[in-house]
Amino acid sequence: NMYGKCGRLEEARNVFEKMSQLNMVSWNSMIAAYAQHYRGKEAFKLFREMELEGVTPDKVTFTAILDACTKMAALAYGKLIHV
């Protein structure tokens, strides 16, 4: 989370990838960091990866991914989350 908030997204992703077990906080932190720093495609890709791993998004996840869609001006991506 610290790396993500500082804009050091590569370091944040490295820490994320090295975690032995991912939980909702780790998924949400990484998605939110991408969204905060205008890397919406990465946020959306990670969101889909989270779903493929069987993790159910929560309110925080949806807030972060919708923020990413807004910053990308990507209505189509926003609509995909509701499918």
Side-chain angles (χ1 to χ4, degrees), residues 18-71:
K18 290 178 182 175
M19 295 178 78
S20 59
Q21 188 173 28
L22 297 172
N23 60 29
M24 188 59 67
V25 173
S26 51
W27 285 104
N28 286 341
S29 295
M30 196 67 236
I31 291 169
Y34 280 139
Q36 179 181 3
H37 294 285
Y38 294 86
R39 291 179 59 179
K41 288 184 182 179
E42 288 97 332
F44 195 78
K45 182 178 175 187
L46 192 60
F47 173 77
R48 285 296 184 209
E49 185 180 321
M50 182 181 91
E51 289 186 316
L52 290 172
E53 291 290 325
V55 180
T56 303
D58 64 6
K59 291 177 185 180
V60 176
T61 314
F62 284 114
T63 301
I65 200 63
L66 287 174
D67 181 41
C69 292
T70 301
K71 288 178 178 172

